[in-house]
Amino acid sequence: MKIICTKSDLVNAVSIVSKAVSNNTTLPILKCILIEASTGNIKLTANDMELGIETTNDGQIHQPGKIAKLFSEIVRKLPDNDITIETDDQYKATITCEKACFQIMGQEGEEFPSLPEIEKNQSITLSQFSLKEVIRQTIFSISDNENTKLMTGELFEV
């Protein structure tokens, strides 16, 4: 895999998915972020088996591939320029930006647990005001306790 993208886009995508990265887990791969490079976009995924977050990012894909690795702190510290991420057959990733160069070991992306597929056969359209009002009327019941992430959100049913 070889991709090139801007630091700001990559930092934004990593900060979105890092909310679902598990720090204390029995599966070491869940401490990683999955990076998939395919036609036209870069997909980042994190999953702690309770919460899964996926986002896509634009970038130049020179060689498609898939790898799971722990690199969020490295990305944040890099200079504001294009970042190149390149992996080899042993899942060793080389992250370069200007004069900075890091080599870290990744893991096979195929081992990363996939997110469940969600059927998208129905949709609704709401005004921003209506959505805010619905959330405002129910937000008091959301838990502040991060131990049960399922209770820190709201359920929308159509």
Side-chain angles (χ1 to χ4, degrees):
M1 176 180 81
K2 182 177 181 182
I3 58 173
I4 300 173
C5 61
T6 63
K7 177 192 175 186
S8 60
D9 288 346
L10 190 59
V11 167
N12 184 41
V14 167
S15 67
I16 289 170
V17 298
S18 65
K19 294 174 180 76
V21 173
S22 179
N23 289 330
N24 50 357
T25 180
T26 57
L27 294 173
I29 194 132
L30 295 181
K31 294 180 181 180
C32 299
I33 294 173
L34 177 68
I35 301 172
E36 292 180 88
S38 59
T39 56
N41 65 10
I42 302 163
K43 183 167 57 171
L44 282 81
T45 307
N47 187 358
D48 70 357
M49 303 308 277
E50 283 185 32
L51 173 68
I53 299 176
E54 180 177 278
T55 187
T56 56
N57 194 11
D58 292 331
Q60 299 174 28
I61 299 167
H62 295 279
Q63 185 178 354
K66 180 190 277 192
I67 189 169
K69 60 186 166 203
L70 190 81
F71 72 113
S72 58
E73 286 302 315
I74 292 173
V75 171
R76 288 188 184 101
K77 306 263 187 215
L78 290 173
D80 290 329
N81 208 336
D82 286 349
I83 298 172
T84 303
I85 301 173
E86 192 170 2
T87 60
D88 62 13
D89 295 339
Q90 278 72 42
Y91 309 108
K92 183 170 72 172
T94 304
I95 303 168
T96 56
C97 182
E98 292 181 3
K99 293 180 182 180
C101 182
F102 294 91
Q103 290 186 342
I104 59 174
M105 286 305 297
Q107 295 182 20
E108 185 179 2
E110 301 300 325
E111 295 177 14
F112 198 85
S114 61
L115 296 178
E117 292 293 321
I118 299 173
E119 294 180 24
K120 300 177 183 175
N121 50 357
Q122 284 186 331
S123 66
I124 62 168
T125 304
L126 290 174
S127 70
Q128 180 182 1
F129 174 77
S130 298
L131 181 60
K132 280 184 177 179
E133 188 61 21
V134 168
I135 293 171
R136 187 189 65 74
Q137 291 177 9
T138 56
I139 200 162
F140 68 91
S141 64
I142 295 176
S143 174
D144 291 334
N145 188 350
E146 290 289 326
N147 291 334
T148 54
K149 291 183 181 179
L150 185 64
M151 304 307 259
T152 60
E154 292 196 52
L155 172 66
F156 286 94
E157 288 186 327
V158 178

